[in-house]
C-alpha cells in the first residue's frame, strides 16, 4: 500500500492532470492566453511559486476543470458494505461491494452544462469558493476522500502555471483527435505531441 499510494494515488494522478491540462490549453489558445496574462499580471518577471496560487483564480479553474473532465481516478476504490444500508435511494444489502463512478458524476448532464466541453470559466461564475478543493467529485467525498487533495492542487497548478509561463503551447497536427484514455488512472493513450515556443519573459 505504501508503494501503491505514492505511485498511483499521488504521482500518477498529478501527472495525468498536468498532461490533460496542457493538452486542453494547447488546443484552446484563448484559454491559454487568459492564463498567461493572469500569471504575468500577478508574477511579472518572477517565476510562478506556490505563494502566488491564491491570487490566480483562472489557474485554479483550469485545474478543477481538468480534474472534472478527465477524472484522474475515474472509479473510487471498492467499498464493502458491512451492514444493510441505503445510498442515494438505493438499498445496498450487507456484503455488497460498491464502486462509485466518479467520471459519471463529473460528466452528469443534470449537474454540469455541456459536460463534454472543457471550460474553466464555469468555475468563475461566483457559485464556487476558489479555496474549495471539492468543486467536483474528482477527489471523492466523505471521510475517506483524497488525503492529498491540497498537495495535488498545489503541485499540478504550479506545474501547469510554470510551463504555461515559460512556453507557448500548440498541438501538433492530428493531436486533437488523440483523446483515448487507458488504465486505472485516466492516462492519455497516445502521449501528448505539442509544439512549444519559448516566451520572452
Ligand atoms: C489530481 C490528483 C488526485 C486525484 C484526482 C486524487 C483522487 C483520489 C480519489 C478519488 C481517492 C479515493 C477517495 C475515496 O475513496 O473516496 C483518493 C484517495 C487518496 N489519495 Fe488522492 N488524488 C490525487 C492526488 C493525490 C496526492 C498528490 C496524494 C498524496 C500526496 C494522494 C493521496 C491519497 C490517499 C492517501 C488516499 C486514500 C485516502 C483514504 O483512503 O483515506 N492523492 N485520491
Amino acid at each position: 500500500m505504501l508503494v501503491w499510494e505514492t505511485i498511483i494515488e499521488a504521482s500518477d494522478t498529478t501527472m495525468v492532470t498536468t498532461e490533460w491540462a496542457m493538452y486542453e490549453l494547447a488546443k484552446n489558445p484563448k484559454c491559454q492566453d487568459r492564463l498567461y496574462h493572469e500569471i504575468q499580471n500577478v508574477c511579472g518577471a518572477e517565476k510562478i511559486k506556490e505563494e502566488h496560487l491564491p491570487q490566480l483564480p483562472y489557474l485554479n479553474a483550469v485545474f478543477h476543470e481538468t480534474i472534472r473532465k478527465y477524472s484522474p481516478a475515474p472509479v473510487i476504490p471498492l467499498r464493502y458494505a458491512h451492514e444493510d444500508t441505503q445510498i442515494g435511494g438505493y438499498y445496498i444489502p450487507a456484503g455488497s461491494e460498491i464502486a462509485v463512478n466518479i467520471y459519471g458524476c463529473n460528466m452528469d448532464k443534470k449537474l454540469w452544462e455541456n459536460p463534454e466541453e472543457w471550460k474553466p470559466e464555469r468555475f468563475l461564475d461566483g457559485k464556487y469558493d476558489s479555496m474549495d478543493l471539492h468543486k467536483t467529485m474528482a477527489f471523492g467525498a466523505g471521510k475517506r476522500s483524497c488525503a492529498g487533495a491540497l498537495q495535488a492542487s498545489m503541485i499540478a497548478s504550479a506545474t501547469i502555471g510554470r510551463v504555461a509561463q515559460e512556453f507557448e503551447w500548440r498541438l501538433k497536427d492530428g493531436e486533437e483527435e488523440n483523446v483515448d484514455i487507458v488504465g486505472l488512472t485516466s492516462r492519455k493513450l497516445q502521449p501528448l505531441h505539442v509544439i512549444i515556443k519559448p516566451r520572452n519573459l
Side-chain angles (χ1 to χ4, degrees), residues 17-44:
T17 305
T18 309
E19 188 173 17
W20 282 117
M22 295 326 294
Y23 165 82
E24 290 288 357
L25 287 167
K27 187 174 149 192
N28 296 286
K30 279 193 185 143
C31 299
Q32 192 184 152
D33 286 350
R34 180 166 178 182
L35 176 62
Y36 176 67
H37 288 119
E38 179 183 82
I39 295 170
Q40 286 309 96
N41 284 341
V42 171
C43 305

Side-chain angles (χ1 to χ4, degrees), residues 13-15 17-19 21-22 25 35 38-39 43 48-67 130 132-133 135 139 149-165:
T13 48
T14 313
M15 184 278 286
T17 305
T18 309
E19 188 173 17
M22 295 326 294
L25 287 167
L35 176 62
E38 179 183 82
I39 295 170
C43 305
I48 185 172
K49 293 205 252 0
E50 278 181 9
E51 292 84 323
H52 294 122
L53 297 180
Q55 300 168 64
L56 298 167
Y58 195 69
L59 176 56
N60 186 264
V62 164
F63 171 75
H64 283 281
E65 179 63 344
T66 305
I67 60 172
S130 67
D132 181 11
L133 291 165
K135 297 181 183 59
F139 289 123
L150 179 60
Q151 187 174 327
S153 158
M154 293 205 296
I155 293 175
S157 300
T159 310
I160 295 162
R162 185 75 185 84
V163 292
Q165 186 183 33

Side-chain angles (χ1 to χ4, degrees), residues 5 44 86 95 110 153 162 167:
E5 294 208 335
Q86 283 219 2
K110 290 195 246 70
S153 158
R162 185 75 185 84
F167 300 101

Side-chain angles (χ1 to χ4, degrees), residues 12 46 87 146 149 170 179 187-188:
D12 208 30
E46 227 188 310
I87 303 178
C146 179
R170 293 286 174 265
V179 289
R187 275 184 173 238
K188 207 168 173 302

